[in-house]
Amino acid sequence: DQQVKQNSPSLSVQEGRISILNCDYTNSMFDYFLWYKKYPAEGPTFLISISSIKDKNEDGRFTVFLNKSAKHLSLHIVPSQPGDSAVYFCAASGRDDMRFGAGTRLTVKP
Amino acid sequence: GAGVSQSPSNKVTEKGKDVELRCDPISGHTALYWYRQSLGQGLEFLIYFQGNSAPDKSGLPSDRFSAERTGGSVSTLTIQRTQQEDSAVYLCASSLAGVKAGYEQYFGPGTRLTVT
């Protein structure tokens, strides 16, 4: 069962522009959401998170937006840099588990 | 500081053999997770430990998969009678507390398993 979905397998943006990565979830019991970044041959690293009681969390160039009614969250990266090129995983946690999306491969072109 | 370590980094095994994968979490992290990532797929949750107990085993793909954690630290994931579809990167992660608290997870580098 895919409780967390990232429908775009890839995204390509120009350096300096905004990157928007989307994530949808189905389980209304999820109460914490996280984004991870993964470079090839490395494990994912934590990027940013948001609690279900908030609708926005910002950390430098990264902002996560949560729309609970739509069960949708997005990660905005602005301005995008070539070093941001990686696979981004959305994750949602509930009472006893954490589910990940399939990932979106972001390519930032110089 | 030491992060999450996994061994071996690569494992090639013949179909039908058993394999054991090891994870050393960050010291003091009570929660430990196993995931796998097959080629072109997202991260698939396998099992989660809080201390030495596993409240959620629903992600284990079949009864050939088992995991244990002793002393609230090291964990081993065992796959019996490996099949070619078991080929994947197996990732371990740990966090200060369980998923309920929403603590971020720290991942190891993974073990790449290839079943021939």
Side-chain angles (χ1 to χ4, degrees), chain A residues 27-43:
Chain A
N27 189 341
S28 59
M29 298 303 291
F30 288 141
D31 57 7
Y32 210 82
F33 305 89
L34 307 93
W35 284 93
Y36 287 82
K37 182 165 93 170
K38 186 182 184 303
Y39 292 116
E42 295 181 11

Side-chain angles (χ1 to χ4, degrees), chain B residues 41-94:
Chain B
Q41 303 296 314
L43 287 169
E44 178 187 1
F45 170 79
L46 298 179
I47 191 169
Y48 149 62
F49 287 92
Q50 182 61 46
N52 291 333
S53 64
D56 185 358
K57 299 181 181 179
S58 63
L60 292 175
S62 75
D63 58 9
R64 296 186 295 104
F65 287 72
S66 64
E68 64 175 17
R69 189 180 186 196
T70 55
S73 182
V74 172
S75 175
T76 54
L77 176 69
T78 302
I79 309 173
Q80 296 177 308
R81 305 181 302 282
T82 52
Q83 304 293 312
Q84 287 185 330
E85 60 263 28
D86 299 335
S87 296
V89 174
Y90 288 80
L91 287 160
C92 173
S94 70

